[in-house]
Amino acid sequence: MRKKPATVRVARWSATHPWSAIGLWVVFVAACLFLGGAAGSNKISDQESGVGESGRSGRIVASGHFTEKPEENVLITAGAGGALDTKAAQQAAQELADRMKALPEVESVGKPVPSPDGKALLLPVTMKGDTENADRRIQPLLDASAAVQNAHPGLRVDQVGTGSTAKGLTETLGKDFQKAEFISLPLTMLILLVVFGAIIAAGVPVILAISCVGAATGLSALASHVLPETSAVSNVILLMGMAVGVDYSLFYLKREREERQKGASRIDAIEIAAETSGHTVLVSGATVIVSMAGLYLAQEATFASLATGSIIVVAVAVLASLTVLPALLAKLGRWVDRPRVPFLWRLTMRSGESKLWRALLKPALVRPVLTLVVSVGALLALALPALDMSLKQPGSDDLSRDIPVVQAMDRLTAAFPSKGTTHQVAVRAPGDQADKVKAALGGLLARTAADPLFAHDQTPEVRESQDRTVHVVQVGTPHSPKSDGARQSLDLLRTWVPEAVQGVPGVETGVGGKVAQGIDFTGHLKDRMPWVVGFILLLTFVTMAYIFRSLAVALSAILLNLLSAAAAFGVLVAVFQHTWAEKLLDFHSTGAVVSWLPLFLFVVLFGLSMDYHVFVVSRIREAALGGVNVKEAVRDGITRSAGVVTSAAVVMVGVFAIFGTLSMVEFKQLGVGLAAAILLDAVVIRIFVLPALMAALGSWNWWPGGLPGGRRGQRAALAGRGHREPELVDEPPFAEPYVPYAVPDRGDGASNGYGAPAPAYQPAEQSYGSGGDGYGRQPHLTQAWPPPRPQGHDRPDTYQQ
């Protein structure tokens, strides 16, 4: 007897020791949360995330070991706009300065600075402590500003700075994610109720997914001390965790229920689900993980962080599905189908082939070439806008203008442009060349003072490191980060800086800042994208060729995934680079797509779509091995898998679409892009393109090796003697399909044709022959459970595969 797969052995132990398995999982999740919280998160610094010249500028600044203090700017303007009462503004500024100086969080308060047009007054404030925790100490300063505002109702007092901006954005985004969680959980539960028709069955995947997100968040915090994480990684963990956590549990739970309906015992049903759906989950999870690992080839800290977070949460979701889920199902038993929702329960328990899916597949099977041309043409039309895709890094321009702190930022930069878009000029040279460097930078600033591309409201200040080797100056521009003027000013500086210091020996320069970081990052992606995409395509091709022993299937998987990805990118560009959807999705179009999104979306789509592709094509291949023609195999395979695939896709689309309601445009784009990609993949690709392509290819689908002729011929021979194949099960992708004994059917679906109920899988000791897998499935020998032969019936007890 061959050794049972690891997924079965783990599931059996969990099912027979449920409390131990559940307890270990609870301890694991709690330990991850505790250790992650205790260790904290190590965020990516600008120096670590920078690439190109902006990255070099950041590293030069970091080598100077400058002491960074959190700075706040209090802007005083006329309450109703127009002319400012200078005397009242000066009085309010003095009152505010007195209040600020009395606060223990404040280190110093500067003198009020009038704007060039006289319409505003700026009070600079420097806080004590570091910049990273400034938002936690900012409240007393905000209270002081609010008190002065109340005392001077004719003036407007705005506070913008390191701590106040971070606090305002954090509060807004926190409310966003609370709203997303409030919507996502009930929506997911509603979808699962429709799928299962029972409350407990619908709740198990949700609870499991939430625990996976919690554990992955803690593990990600620990991993950040090796690979620093970006602030977006927690949101990606939530999005991916809820999607794949529910998805994997859905596959497993539906299969376990299916086996119980067929008469299998509770433990047997769990083991069968472990060997079939459990193995599919393992393969799918491994594929997603390896796909996400392709992001490391981008050689950029942000992508490395996103890859790490995604890999962790997918691995935790796979672990939960294979360990604690069998324990929960064993402990709940038939209570998993309670309490039942009457109408939905009857709907989910309907048997027989769906007429809807037969109708949907009819065009692809009756006229495959025409259907293929029309459906591919529609997807290519959706993909056309992607040819005009523009990329940019997210910045202040992408924030919603409804956020109060963003409105204050806009007023500050309008009055004092040098406080808005700035370029960072960094110079490193031997300490004995410090005077030459300062003189060179002075000449550079004189050139910028005479050019309208740069801000002139304040004189830039050159900062010098203690060892005099590094000099830094911030040069402002009155143009917004996304404007041509900001790009032109950057290009000009990158030409002028080397010219200014060319006579200094051993000098190293760099021009950075937000504008430079965005341009350099986008250029870096264009250089690295072929490596990442090539890795993903090669992985997909090798995986599919290995699973199905067919180069044709592998090549079609590549082409279909590329087609759905291109269509999703087209939708993304059509929605976010134009203005027609601004009111619908509540965003302000910047005329570009967030630069990191297409590559991340491409990798995630390829990983997740492999899940559906393996599942569907496996069922088609099983049907083809039964001796039916290709069109019948396609119809049979897709109709049998349609329920699970559709349910999983609806859950994913629902979770992803919620991110389209958030304020940050990068999360809107991520949610809409993933939702569109999964929807197109599950509907257009799986219902029209895939069946039409396979029907048109016919026997070429299995090129070059073809299907195993012996098994197919034996099944056809049995079918020719009046035998009917019972329903096939979805096997592990790497295993040869199980060939059950073909028995006559009375037509009522309840008996084996000899007056006895159709048996479920029997334990190994009841198998005939050797080499069984414990469920009566013989890889190369005979049927495991021949019922006693009634007199008068002539049928073989066994047949060779």
Side-chain angles (χ1 to χ4, degrees):
M1 181 183 300
R2 73 175 176 89
K3 191 176 183 180
K4 294 180 182 179
T7 55
V8 177
R9 298 197 302 271
V10 171
R12 184 170 185 83
W13 184 90
S14 297
T16 53
H17 303 81
W19 285 122
S20 298
I22 294 171
L24 287 173
W25 179 255
V26 171
V27 170
F28 169 72
V29 174
C32 290
L33 288 170
F34 174 77
L35 294 175
S41 298
N42 179 28
K43 300 296 183 183
I44 296 175
S45 65
D46 290 340
Q47 292 77 27
E48 292 168 319
S49 63
V51 295
E53 185 173 342
S54 59
R56 183 171 72 247
S57 173
R59 289 186 289 273
I60 292 174
V61 174
S63 68
H65 303 290
F66 293 96
T67 302
E68 298 291 340
K69 294 289 185 178
E71 296 182 353
E72 292 293 316
N73 298 286
V74 182
L75 184 71
I76 302 175
T77 56
L84 176 68
D85 186 337
T86 305
K87 184 176 180 181
Q90 289 285 353
Q91 182 181 353
Q94 186 59 50
E95 290 180 14
L96 184 57
D98 293 340
R99 286 177 178 270
M100 292 289 189
K101 290 176 182 178
L103 297 175
E105 294 84 3
V106 174
E107 182 176 283
S108 63
V109 179
K111 295 182 179 179
V113 180
S115 65
D117 59 6
K119 294 183 178 181
L121 194 66
L122 181 68
L123 184 68
V125 180
T126 302
M127 295 179 65
K128 296 178 182 178
D130 57 30
T131 58
E132 291 194 7
N133 298 314
D135 57 331
R136 302 177 186 176
R137 308 188 307 274
I138 193 63
Q139 192 58 49
L141 281 74
L142 294 174
D143 293 340
S145 296
V148 172
Q149 172 70 85
N150 292 333
H152 298 271
L155 300 174
R156 175 188 282 125
V157 180
D158 292 313
Q159 184 170 329
V160 180
T162 307
S164 55
T165 302
K167 181 178 175 63
L169 292 178
T170 300
E171 289 178 350
T172 300
L173 294 178
K175 292 178 182 177
D176 264 2
F177 286 112
Q178 287 178 0
K179 179 180 71 174
E181 292 170 2
F182 179 77
I183 297 173
S184 65
L185 292 181
L187 177 62
T188 304
M189 277 292 296
L190 180 62
I191 295 170
L192 292 175
L193 274 177
V194 175
V195 173
F196 290 109
I199 294 177
I200 294 179
V204 167
V206 174
I207 294 172
L208 212 58
I210 292 173
S211 70
C212 291
V213 170
T217 301
L219 291 174
S220 178
L222 295 175
S224 69
H225 294 277
V226 178
L227 289 173
E229 69 178 24
T230 178
S231 57
V233 73
S234 59
N235 312 123
V236 171
I237 287 176
L238 174 63
L239 182 140
M240 292 287 290
M242 289 302 297
V244 300
V246 170
D247 209 10
Y248 294 161
S249 300
L250 175 64
F251 284 160
Y252 203 109
L253 189 53
K254 282 184 74 70
R255 185 52 191 266
E256 187 269 348
R257 171 193 272 190
E258 179 183 335
E259 295 306 323
R260 282 193 289 108
Q261 283 182 263
K262 293 179 179 178
S265 68
R266 181 179 58 187
I267 300 300
D268 284 346
I270 290 172
E271 289 193 12
I272 297 169
E275 189 170 8
T276 53
S277 296
H279 197 89
T280 300
V281 166
L282 185 62
V283 172
S284 173
T287 304
V288 175
I289 287 172
V290 178
S291 297
M292 297 305 303
L295 288 176
Y296 291 121
L297 297 178
Q299 296 182 353
E300 201 279 327
T302 300
F303 279 117
S305 172
L306 295 176
T308 302
S310 300
I311 288 171
I312 289 174
V313 74
V314 172
V316 172
V318 171
L319 181 66
S321 299
L322 301 182
T323 57
V324 70
L325 182 56
L328 288 171
L329 295 178
K331 199 63 189 173
L332 289 170
R334 296 194 178 276
W335 277 98
V336 76
D337 292 329
R338 303 286 195 278
R340 298 172 178 175
V341 181
F343 172 74
L344 295 178
W345 173 258
R346 291 194 300 270
L347 192 65
T348 61
M349 299 307 292
R350 288 190 309 177
S351 60
E353 190 176 89
S354 171
K355 295 181 180 179
L356 173 63
W357 288 105
R358 288 182 64 92
L360 290 175
L361 289 172
K362 187 175 181 179
L365 300 180
V366 174
R367 300 185 181 276
V369 175
L370 177 61
T371 303
L372 188 63
V373 170
V374 172
S375 56
V376 169
L379 289 174
L380 289 177
L382 281 177
L384 278 178
L387 298 176
D388 191 36
M389 181 183 290
S390 298
L391 301 177
K392 71 177 289 290
Q393 277 283 73
S396 58
D397 289 341
D398 301 307
L399 297 172
S400 170
R401 296 356 255 179
D402 295 332
I403 303 175
V405 70
V406 175
Q407 296 174 353
M409 288 169 58
D410 290 342
R411 288 190 284 268
L412 175 65
T413 55
F416 295 89
S418 60
K419 296 294 184 180
T421 306
T422 59
H423 304 300
Q424 176 181 263
V425 178
V427 180
R428 180 165 55 196
D432 57 2
Q433 302 295 321
D435 292 337
K436 290 184 178 180
V437 171
K438 292 182 71 173
L441 290 177
L444 173 71
L445 295 178
R447 295 181 74 176
T448 62
D451 195 299
L453 285 173
F454 300 96
H456 306 137
D457 56 281
Q458 290 183 327
T459 302
E461 178 185 353
V462 178
R463 302 170 63 194
E464 184 180 76
S465 64
Q466 289 186 351
D467 61 3
R468 306 194 72 196
T469 62
V470 178
H471 295 78
V472 181
V473 61
Q474 301 287 341
V475 181
T477 174
H479 304 285
S480 65
K482 67 179 181 180
S483 66
D484 292 336
R487 174 65 184 265
Q488 292 170 9
S489 64
L490 173 66
D491 293 340
L492 206 56
L493 272 182
R494 286 184 166 177
T495 302
W496 287 354
V497 170
E499 294 175 357
V501 299
Q502 62 182 352
V504 181
V507 70
E508 184 182 4
T509 66
V511 180
K514 295 299 183 182
V515 176
Q517 288 173 0
I519 293 172
D520 292 344
F521 183 80
T522 302
H524 177 78
L525 282 187
K526 290 180 180 178
D527 293 337
R528 299 304 305 173
M529 188 173 290
W531 293 94
V532 179
V533 172
F535 175 83
I536 300 301
L537 295 180
L538 179 62
L539 168 74
T540 304
F541 184 84
V542 171
T543 302
M544 296 301 289
Y546 179 69
I547 291 175
F548 295 103
R549 306 296 194 270
S550 167
L551 297 181
V553 169
L555 184 60
S556 66
I558 292 286
L559 295 176
L560 295 187
N561 284 341
L562 285 173
L563 187 60
S564 62
F569 290 158
V571 172
L572 198 63
V573 170
V575 171
F576 290 100
Q577 284 189 198
H578 302 88
T579 58
W580 65 271
E582 285 184 331
K583 292 184 178 180
L584 180 65
L585 295 177
D586 189 23
F587 74 99
H588 174 69
S589 175
T590 61
V593 173
V594 175
S595 54
W596 60 265
L597 186 61
L599 187 57
F600 182 76
L601 181 63
F602 181 86
V603 172
V604 173
L605 172 61
F606 258 72
L608 296 180
S609 63
M610 280 290 290
D611 185 7
Y612 300 150
H613 204 84
V614 170
F615 190 78
V616 174
V617 178
S618 294
R619 297 304 292 262
I620 294 173
R621 185 173 184 269
E622 287 178 5
L625 282 169
V628 300
N629 60 48
V630 172
K631 291 186 177 181
E632 280 299 309
V634 169
R635 182 192 61 78
D636 186 67
I638 292 180
T639 53
R640 290 176 186 273
S641 59
V644 176
V645 170
T646 304
S647 301
V650 169
V651 171
M652 280 197 177
V653 170
V655 172
F656 292 152
I658 292 170
F659 275 68
T661 66
L662 304 184
S663 297
M664 297 284 284
V665 71
E666 54 192 305
F667 295 129
K668 284 183 181 292
Q669 292 183 6
L670 178 63
V672 171
L674 284 173
I678 297 298
L679 186 63
L680 290 171
D681 188 75
V683 177
V684 182
I685 296 293
R686 305 302 162 204
I687 297 177
F688 299 105
V689 182
L690 175 63
L693 177 62
M694 296 192 75
L697 288 176
S699 60
W700 285 97
N701 282 293
W702 319 115
W703 181 83
L707 291 173
R711 278 189 292 270
R712 180 176 54 187
Q714 287 156 9
R715 291 185 181 192
L718 284 173
R721 289 199 296 266
H723 292 277
R724 178 174 177 265
E725 286 281 342
E727 181 178 349
L728 297 173
V729 297
D730 49 324
E731 292 296 316
F734 294 109
E736 287 295 331
Y738 161 50
V739 184
Y741 188 84
V743 295
D745 191 347
R746 294 184 317 190
D748 58 4
S751 79
N752 62 10
Y754 301 101
Y761 294 125
Q762 297 298 317
E765 58 267 24
Q766 297 182 22
S767 299
Y768 288 78
S770 61
D773 64 357
Y775 302 111
R777 281 175 262 189
Q778 310 299 321
H780 300 291
L781 293 175
T782 61
Q783 166 59 22
W785 49 267
R789 183 188 307 184
Q791 296 295 323
H793 286 271
D794 181 17
R795 68 172 182 84
D797 285 334
T798 62
Y799 67 93
Q800 294 294 325
Q801 292 194 47

